[in-house]
Amino acid sequence: MIMEKMMNTKTEGNTFTKKIGQTVYVVRYHFNEDAKETMQEKINRMLVTEVNRQAVY
């Protein structure tokens, strides 16, 4: 596949593909290895913030 040849080998382990309909998406992700909170904690914090913001309106 042409896209695979274009991918940087340094980030190759941090990618995945997802096919939706006739389109194939190549997703590259990264994270801070020195983060002070887990991804679950971050998602929970973001959800609480959003719920509180919505409650104001």
Side-chain angles (χ1 to χ4, degrees):
M1 176 181 251
I2 295 171
M3 182 63 72
E4 290 173 2
K5 291 179 183 177
M6 292 173 37
M7 291 172 53
N8 182 347
T9 56
K10 183 177 178 183
T11 61
E12 197 169 295
N14 295 339
T15 61
F16 65 93
T17 58
K18 176 72 176 178
K19 184 174 183 181
I20 301 175
Q22 298 297 316
T23 305
V24 176
Y25 297 91
V26 177
V27 179
R28 241 181 242 150
Y29 61 93
H30 67 279
F31 57 92
N32 181 354
E33 295 194 20
D34 298 327
K36 306 264 189 273
E37 64 184 346
T38 66
M39 191 57 155
Q40 185 63 51
E41 291 168 336
K42 184 172 189 163
I43 292 169
N44 287 344
R45 179 176 49 79
M46 292 169 58
L47 287 170
V48 168
T49 300
E50 183 64 19
V51 167
N52 289 335
R53 192 175 72 97
Q54 293 294 324
V56 173
Y57 296 110

